[in-house]
Amino acid sequence: MTPGGAGVAQRHDQPTGGPAGLIGTGYDFGAAPGARSAVVDGPYGGDDGIHGPDDASCGRDGSVHRPLMTPGSPGDDGTGPGGDISTVLAARTAEEVLAGYLHQQSADFLRSLRLHRESGSDAEGAGEAAWQLRRAARRISATLHTFRPLTEEAWADQLRSELGWLSGTLAREQACAARRERLMAALQRLTGRGERPDRSDRQGRPDRGKRGDRTTTSSATGPAARAAGTPATSSTPAAEPDDGALSAGAARAGALLDRQLTLARTRAHSAALQALGSSRFHAVADSVAVLASEAPLARTAAERPAGEALPPLAEQAHRQLVEAVAALPLSRAGYPYNAAALSADQRQDAPWHQVRMLVRLSRYAREVLAPEYADTRLAEAGRALEWHRDAAEAAAAAAAAARTPRIAPATAYALGVLHADQRHEVEAARFAFGRVWLPRTPERKS
């Protein structure tokens, strides 16, 4: 390592690579990064809210469901490290498996970087290249995190930290764009007639269009709630937002959110461009180039069989996930419209966000060991938690806009309705995750 944390490209046993000036600065040494820095998140869908689940390894192609579970955990089907995975890893060393996977992801990273540079003014092409860049960065970082005992830890930890910085910087622009689209669509749904029938259809009388007209329905009956499997109506009557006040404030609320989120996206875009031109980024690129030819693995990795060294570390990652899920209030979240998620408390959302990152770590670890055995349950759980994260952040954006000084009462009211709608989405996402994770009781035969 270069003295004083000068960069991540130089190995302790190699001369400095690349031309002068490509070694970045600014790394602060500290404790080994945890799950947060090992898997960097972006907008919904694992990557950018456009591509959906972040790749085919999610099991969308109907791959065999063989989860790598701890014995006795929900979903354990007995195919742990002693099953098919051991067959895949037979006659290979830990170094061969890890180095092959890291070489592949590093090559994808460098290829995406070249495509990003060649995209020029093509915004769509640049966005696709940035998505691929972040995808490879997450997998490299997660692999170095999960299999840390088999790596040169100091070098790997620093590279992981720098990849987290890069991926997080590139994700912000896409996150702002996805959040804006989500909130604009929610406002249109709440104020329009496209997603809900007229009152004349529901109540058998003409819609008078007066302030104060109310009906008994729930604001969590949109497409998201239906996707989670929640019932179409709530057992507890809830008043529909006042259409007059909501319509009056929705246009201004939308304009305010559009202005704030567009400004945030512009700043994120400028930050991304600045990061891609910095010496710190060039140091990361140099490090990944080194990784593409020589993985920073410990000597023991070349001596130990892959079937003996890798599955226990992957099991450890999955065990951490199982323990984190056990701390979630899944029993309450399993009831539709339980109102537990309506409180906008970051401390309440934080355990769910942590579980989302642990789900990714567990899925990526299995991808290293046996990519042909995709775990569809982990993929579905990850999608539900991505939905949860997006809804929580959208609700926070609506609440932040409502705190803007000197806005009209009707605007604040519309933002409050929008905030409540997104918190209902949070509740529905928790319900969906519980249905995926918890084992279903088999029906009794009559």
Side-chain angles (χ1 to χ4, degrees):
M1 206 67 59
T2 56
V8 294
Q10 183 177 349
R11 294 280 296 277
H12 64 83
D13 56 347
Q14 293 180 345
T16 302
L22 293 186
I23 306 301
T25 59
Y27 176 77
D28 295 326
F29 289 96
R36 175 74 183 175
S37 61
V39 181
V40 181
D41 48 333
Y44 177 72
D47 294 294
D48 61 3
I50 298 174
H51 301 270
D54 71 337
D55 53 43
S57 67
C58 293
R60 291 177 293 171
D61 56 353
S63 302
V64 181
H65 181 198
R66 302 177 183 274
L68 184 65
M69 301 287 184
T70 54
S73 63
D76 181 18
D77 62 356
T79 61
D84 294 320
I85 291 180
S86 294
T87 304
V88 173
L89 300 178
R92 301 179 67 189
T93 65
E95 182 182 35
E96 292 174 346
V97 175
L98 284 180
Y101 184 82
L102 289 173
H103 292 339
Q104 175 187 351
Q105 298 304 323
S106 301
D108 290 345
F109 181 98
L110 297 174
R111 186 182 306 111
S112 302
L113 178 58
R114 177 177 55 82
L115 292 175
H116 189 277
R117 289 172 176 169
E118 294 175 351
S119 62
S121 59
D122 181 8
E124 183 177 353
E128 176 69 20
W131 173 75
Q132 295 286 350
L133 196 69
R134 287 165 35 223
R135 176 184 181 275
R138 277 199 316 275
R139 280 164 168 75
I140 295 172
S141 182
T143 302
L144 296 177
H145 172 83
T146 301
F147 302 101
R148 183 173 181 268
L150 299 176
T151 67
E152 295 178 7
E153 296 180 357
W155 195 86
D157 288 347
Q158 188 173 351
L159 175 57
R160 227 165 12 98
S161 177
E162 295 297 274
L163 287 173
W165 160 77
L166 173 62
S167 187
T169 301
L170 296 179
R172 293 190 190 103
E173 180 183 358
Q174 294 278 357
C176 291
R179 195 170 304 133
R180 177 189 173 279
E181 292 178 4
R182 181 186 187 92
L183 289 172
M184 295 300 105
L187 270 178
Q188 184 177 4
R189 170 170 52 82
L190 290 169
T191 58
R193 297 287 184 231
E195 290 293 331
R196 60 180 183 179
D198 291 333
R199 274 196 210 98
S200 57
D201 297 332
R202 292 198 302 261
Q203 301 177 357
R205 66 175 187 270
D207 186 358
R208 294 173 294 177
K210 296 181 181 178
R211 295 173 64 113
D213 287 351
R214 299 186 182 275
T215 184
T216 54
T217 185
S218 170
S219 61
T221 56
R226 292 194 294 272
T230 53
T233 58
S234 173
S235 58
T236 303
E240 184 181 81
D242 188 315
D243 281 356
L246 181 57
S247 298
R252 291 184 178 180
L256 177 61
L257 286 169
D258 179 71
R259 183 167 61 252
Q260 291 183 347
L261 292 174
T262 300
L263 177 61
R265 181 182 181 180
T266 301
R267 290 174 175 172
H269 180 72
S270 299
L273 291 179
Q274 184 178 4
L276 291 175
S278 66
S279 59
R280 185 178 182 183
F281 168 74
H282 287 296
V284 177
D286 284 352
S287 298
V288 176
V290 171
L291 188 63
S293 59
E294 182 180 352
L297 301 179
R299 293 180 180 179
T300 55
E303 303 170 356
R304 299 182 61 184
E308 173 187 321
L310 301 182
L313 296 175
E315 277 297 341
Q316 183 179 0
H318 191 80
R319 192 178 307 113
Q320 292 174 352
L321 168 61
V322 172
E323 293 173 356
V325 173
L328 296 177
L330 288 185
S331 58
R332 184 173 183 181
Y335 291 96
Y337 307 118
N338 56 77
L342 299 186
S343 172
D345 186 355
Q346 292 182 353
R347 292 173 297 179
Q348 179 196 118
D349 295 334
W352 297 86
H353 297 331
Q354 178 68 10
V355 168
R356 175 178 58 83
M357 285 178 271
L358 291 173
V359 165
R360 280 190 177 179
L361 280 177
S362 183
R363 185 163 63 89
Y364 292 164
R366 184 182 183 91
E367 186 178 297
V368 173
L369 270 60
E372 59 271 32
Y373 294 128
D375 189 343
T376 56
R377 193 179 70 131
L378 282 180
E380 292 172 4
R383 285 193 288 270
L385 292 173
E386 295 284 353
W387 171 19
H388 175 277
R389 187 273 314 278
D390 276 4
E393 291 184 350
R403 290 191 291 269
T404 303
R406 298 183 298 278
I407 60 174
T411 306
Y413 176 76
L415 290 169
V417 172
L418 183 60
H419 173 270
D421 173 76
Q422 293 303 303
R423 292 307 302 184
H424 275 293
E425 293 277 332
V426 170
E427 178 185 315
R430 294 180 182 180
F431 178 81
F433 174 79
R435 288 174 62 88
V436 170
W437 186 265
L438 295 177
R440 296 187 177 94
T441 304
E443 298 181 359
R444 296 182 179 180
K445 297 181 179 180
S446 57

